[in-house]
Amino acid sequence: MRGWLWGGAGLLGLVALSLSIGAASLWTSDLNTGWLIAVSRFPRTAAALLAGAGLALAGVVVQQAVQNRFVEPGLSGTPEAAMLGLLGITLIAPGAVLWVKMAVAALAALAGTGLFLALATRIPRTDPMLLPLVGLIHAGILGAVVTWIAWQADLMQYLGIWQMGEFSGVVQGRYELLWGIAALAALLYALADRITLLGLGADAARALGLDYRQTVALGLTVVAAITALVVVTVGALPFVGLVVPNVVSRFRGDNLARNLPMVALGGAGAVLAADILGRMLRHPYEVPAATVFAIAGAGIFLWLLHAAPKAAHG
Amino acid sequence: MIEIRNVSLSLRGSAILHDITAGLPQTGITALIGPNGAGKSSLLHLCAGLLRPSGGVIAVDGGDVTRMAHRDRARRIAVLTQAQALGSRLTVGDLVGFGRWPHHLGRPREADRQVVAEALALFDLETLSGRQVETLSGGQKARAFTAMAWAQSTPWLLLDEPLAALDPRFARDLMARLHAMSQTGPQARGVVIVVHDLNAAALWADHVVALRDGRLFADGPAAEVLTPATLGALFDTAFGTVDTPRGRLVYPA
């Protein structure tokens, strides 16, 4: 209970900080404060919260589906697959409306995630570090194809935006798709028990009456949709789905009916903190949130790997 | 009754089971015995509906197990497999609680909580219920998983080597409990176990099915199958018997 209080208070503090800092000061500039918040600061804050929560949840789903806590969609090819879809639709139908592009990106992300899952079922499980490496290679190959096509089609500029998650371009009217993540999070919460059961492995889950394949398919569809939403609106943010679920699991275990809200809260707070840090480091210039997170996240992950496991209790 | 009719199984091109026909009675404990690699675990997986036979049919209480709806199957058959390398961090209480999932689908009622509390008490897990399963010893883990299967409260309980990690006290307690719950009565359950400890089978099993090289080798009441002649041929080694106050035991001579 105290964890929730601290978490909630911390998140509120971050939100207040995020609303108040930026290139233009809220108090001394000529701009109307209310207007500035409504058009720029609030959308930016909400986008960071939604993207962070979504990516952390996506991480948990993939980790349970492959029973390996060292993988996450952002480091196993899902964003690259979404980019491939985006490139494809941009080349075939440049004038397509946003939701069509979004749908194509999500379908491509689903195909990429499915491919990763197929690889995961085929490699031996004896060494848990093998799967993350396979994921990185899978992501690398897809990424190379993406870069090659973008280079050939002179679309490298787009690619840069998709690959580097950051929130400086987020203003009213350009991020609202991300609210879709709130709906997907609610869906995942309804599936929390089923996703926990996936983590027990196919045999145990099926013995308890779970339709294993259908649940995996549904979970990965949600993962693909979240990833595509984030890539399209703010760009890829790797490590979020790896670090946040691992920190939560370390202290609170894996019963998702209890922990899913904490995972979402943690992801939201972590990405918002990375964005705030990125705004402050070289004020008034900015460092992309993805860069900040990759540095901090990699550090935290190394600590997680090496710190002695703590006796956790749910 | 679990009816196994002309069942064969091939996995990735290699034949595991050949044309097996046997009936596992609803009353009493049925022990599956046989040398390593005989196909005992595969047969148990087939009976639980976790594998699909390449040929033949397995009918549980009259219904083809591969055609049952997932939830119906989970309320009829509980199965404990050997693969308990649990990667996820769950407490013992949560794990045993998931045994009730096929009944409540995420909304446990008072009756579900009672069964879980009973299971924890029965398997001496009450003091461990807040512990993470991954921090338990092998024997404690085995008890936690067996308690989960027990909490499923199914007419059939299928256990793959439930004794492997247990110390003598818990092994005896488990067999005595399985024996008691498998006898006739309103709560009677059919129990099927894969065992290597032939004397656990000799002391507690009512019915024995012996497999060798993926084929049915013997099938009948325990006293008729667990003889030096049959066991000798089954395991390619001579067996003797010794009479004890608890019953007739067998030993490799």
Side-chain angles (χ1 to χ4, degrees), chain B:
Chain B
M1 180 87 168
I2 296 183
E3 293 159 83
I4 303 166
R5 286 186 225 123
N6 306 107
V7 163
S8 52
L9 176 72
S10 302
L11 288 177
R12 292 189 193 88
S14 59
I16 312 282
L17 296 172
H18 309 269
D19 195 29
I20 291 182
T21 298
L24 314 182
Q26 168 81 58
T27 309
I29 295 179
T30 299
L32 295 181
I33 64 166
N36 295 326
K40 307 180 293 289
S41 290
S42 300
L43 188 60
L44 197 80
H45 276 72
L46 286 168
C47 291
L50 296 178
L51 281 176
R52 199 169 269 276
S54 318
V57 173
I58 293 187
V60 178
D61 300 334
D64 183 343
V65 71
T66 61
R67 288 168 190 269
M68 287 182 192
H70 295 277
R71 191 181 172 198
D72 294 343
R73 196 192 62 227
R75 287 192 289 192
R76 185 164 291 283
I77 309 159
V79 57
L80 173 71
T81 61
Q82 279 184 74
Q84 298 152 21
L86 183 71
S88 70
R89 297 186 178 120
L90 290 177
T91 62
V92 173
D94 283 347
L95 183 79
V96 177
F98 273 118
R100 298 302 300 168
W101 196 78
H103 298 275
H104 62 59
L105 296 182
R107 286 193 201 78
R109 296 157 201 254
E110 193 45 45
D112 297 308
R113 288 190 198 96
Q114 254 171 34
V115 175
V116 173
E118 232 176 290
L120 290 172
L122 210 53
F123 290 88
D124 209 3
L125 293 165
E126 282 161 313
T127 52
L128 300 175
S129 79
R131 283 266 298 276
Q132 297 278 336
V133 176
E134 64 175 2
T135 66
L136 301 181
S137 76
Q140 292 169 330
K141 222 181 261 187
R143 270 152 55 205
F145 277 90
T146 312
M148 171 170 85
W150 183 88
Q152 238 171 300
S153 312
T154 47
W156 287 95
L157 188 55
L158 277 45
L159 307 170
D160 196 351
E161 293 196 31
L163 305 178
L166 299 184
D167 66 31
R169 178 192 140 206
F170 281 115
R172 183 210 50 212
D173 285 359
L174 177 62
M175 289 312 294
R177 195 163 297 132
L178 293 175
H179 179 75
M181 72 168 74
S182 69
Q183 300 309 304
T184 40
Q187 296 287 311
R189 307 189 195 184
V191 176
V192 183
I193 58 171
V194 173
V195 279
H196 276 297
D197 179 353
L198 294 173
N199 286 321
L203 290 176
W204 299 106
D206 303 279
H207 195 86
V208 173
V209 173
L211 297 181
R212 182 179 161 140
D213 298 330
R215 293 174 205 278
L216 186 71
F217 187 83
D219 175 16
E224 287 174 26
V225 177
L226 298 172
T227 59
T230 309
L231 292 176
L234 177 63
F235 290 101
D236 281 332
T237 184
F239 275 85
T241 61
V242 55
D243 287 306
T244 73
R246 286 282 292 109
R248 173 169 290 186
L249 303 184
V250 294
Y251 62 92

Side-chain angles (χ1 to χ4, degrees), chain A residues 35-48 98 166-179 233-234 286:
Chain A
W35 179 83
L36 184 63
I37 286 183
V39 171
S40 165
R41 297 286 166 74
F42 175 75
R44 178 171 193 160
T45 305
L98 188 59
E166 55 108 16
F167 298 89
S168 65
V170 175
V171 288
Q172 193 179 35
R174 290 192 50 188
Y175 83 103
E176 281 75 2
L177 266 181
L178 280 178
W179 285 104
T233 47
V234 297
E286 296 199 6

Side-chain angles (χ1 to χ4, degrees), chain A residues 2 5 67 70 87 89 93 103 112-113 127 135 149 166 184 195 209 222 240 249 281:
Chain A
R2 268 182 61 198
L5 281 178
Q67 293 106 44
F70 300 117
L87 275 179
I89 188 73
T113 316
D127 182 0
I149 295 176
E166 55 108 16
L184 293 169
I195 292 164
V222 173
V240 179
S249 163
L281 286 174

